[in-house]
Amino acid sequence: MSADDLPETRVPPTDLTEAEVTERMAAVALEASTCPRCDLALTRNKVVFGAGNPHTPLVFVGEGPGENEDATGEPFVGRAGKLLDKALAANQMSRKHIYICNTVKCRPTIVEGSRVRNRPPSAGEMDACRPWLLQQLDLIRPCVIVCLGAPAANTIIHKGFKMTQERGKFFESPYAETALAAFHPAYVLRLHGDAYETAFASLVNDIAAARDKAIELKRARSERPVPASDLAPTANASDVTPEAVAEPTQLSLFEE
Ligand code: URA
């Protein structure tokens, strides 16, 4: 492959070494851990900065932390996170292959009677939190971003994103070479029967497409062929149910 064959790369790979990326990410996380930029700071227990592999070409961006994430400081550790893990496993992936974070790093809540419930982040909260997300993406320089749900797609892809029409398609994004939106696992969990199976299959398929694109774009970046053994087979979504998924086996998916 010659340089002329490479796709146009709007987000060049970082010049930093992996050790430098790790170190800088930890420094940004430390700074974010005391963030006062919006009122979510007043009610949060922990800032949920992000987790996973900061050297991956594939970043997932969710909406915002829920109760379990707020308690632990880790993203996607509740029921939605467990479903996401199943969708990753159906694609021979685990959290080791991705970096995952949210549009806002603190839990948005609403008090209803005696109950504290999750709510979507407001535009102002997302704006206040954007500098943290941008620093994360700037350090990782992902090839592909998967936006989980509309709020992330509105931030990363374009405002007014329509999940029904635009989900599963690749879009230009200033933050990665390409980005697509997939159903948020929490949305899938609210469905039942066939609707649930169909939405889960879409999530699996969209992750498969993102993974394949990340392999392709990373290979183009490095100008070195990825060994065939590193290319995980594409999941056939019709064969996948949340109950019948494989354990991750391709830990070298994105390695050279
Ligand atoms: N939902 C999200 O969007 N993010 C999390 O971290 C957990 C649930």
Side-chain angles (χ1 to χ4, degrees):
M1 177 182 285
S2 80
D4 291 338
D5 296 324
L6 296 177
E8 187 187 324
T9 302
R10 286 170 303 111
V11 185
T14 176
D15 290 334
L16 300 175
T17 64
E18 289 201 350
E20 286 167 337
V21 168
T22 303
E23 194 181 316
R24 289 191 194 192
M25 193 68 91
V28 179
L30 183 63
E31 203 189 330
S33 69
T34 55
C35 177
R37 286 184 187 157
C38 77
D39 283 353
L40 296 182
L42 305 175
T43 51
R44 72 172 176 233
N45 284 303
K46 290 200 171 159
V47 169
V48 183
F49 181 70
N53 178 356
H55 315 298
T56 180
L58 185 53
V59 168
F60 284 59
V61 180
E63 185 173 317
E67 184 177 6
N68 295 300
E69 292 78 20
D70 178 62
T72 59
E74 295 294 320
F76 284 91
V77 290
R79 285 179 67 228
K82 302 268 179 303
L83 191 69
L84 178 64
D85 287 341
K86 284 184 177 175
L88 289 171
N91 282 299
Q92 294 76 47
M93 288 199 290
S94 72
R95 301 279 181 113
K96 289 180 188 169
H97 295 111
I98 65 167
Y99 187 87
I100 187 161
C101 58
N102 286 298
T103 57
V104 296
K105 313 299 186 208
C106 300
R107 181 189 181 199
T109 56
I110 181 162
V111 180
E112 285 178 354
S114 58
R115 292 192 63 190
V116 179
R117 300 172 67 99
N118 296 336
R119 64 163 170 81
S122 69
E125 289 158 354
M126 287 197 282
D127 281 350
C129 214
R130 196 183 316 275
W132 299 123
L133 179 61
L134 295 189
Q135 285 185 81
Q136 289 172 306
L137 297 176
D138 218 33
L139 282 170
I140 299 172
R141 302 274 172 152
C143 295
V144 179
I145 298 175
V146 177
C147 302
L148 295 172
N154 281 322
T155 296
I156 300 288
I157 300 177
H158 68 78
K159 287 204 191 332
F161 193 89
K162 299 265 179 301
M163 284 301 280
T164 40
Q165 291 145 33
E166 299 181 300
R167 195 219 89 247
K169 297 180 182 160
F170 287 103
F171 287 86
E172 289 199 350
S173 163
Y175 311 117
E177 284 163 56
T178 189
L180 95 170
F183 286 137
H184 194 294
Y187 164 78
V188 179
L189 283 171
R190 287 196 291 272
L191 303 173
H192 301 283
D194 286 351
Y196 171 86
E197 299 297 340
T198 304
F200 181 72
S202 291
L203 178 61
V204 170
N205 277 342
D206 291 344
I207 291 174
R211 177 208 56 195
D212 291 351
K213 183 65 87 179
I215 291 171
E216 177 195 322
L217 291 172
K218 186 174 180 201
R219 181 172 53 199
R221 269 188 190 177
S222 65
E223 294 182 69
R224 285 214 306 275
V226 174
S229 58
D230 275 1
L231 297 173
T234 300
N236 182 351
S238 61
D239 296 334
V240 175
T241 66
E243 290 69 38
V245 292
E247 285 298 305
T249 53
Q250 303 277 338
L251 296 183
S252 60
L253 196 61
F254 300 119
E255 286 165 15
E256 323 217 48

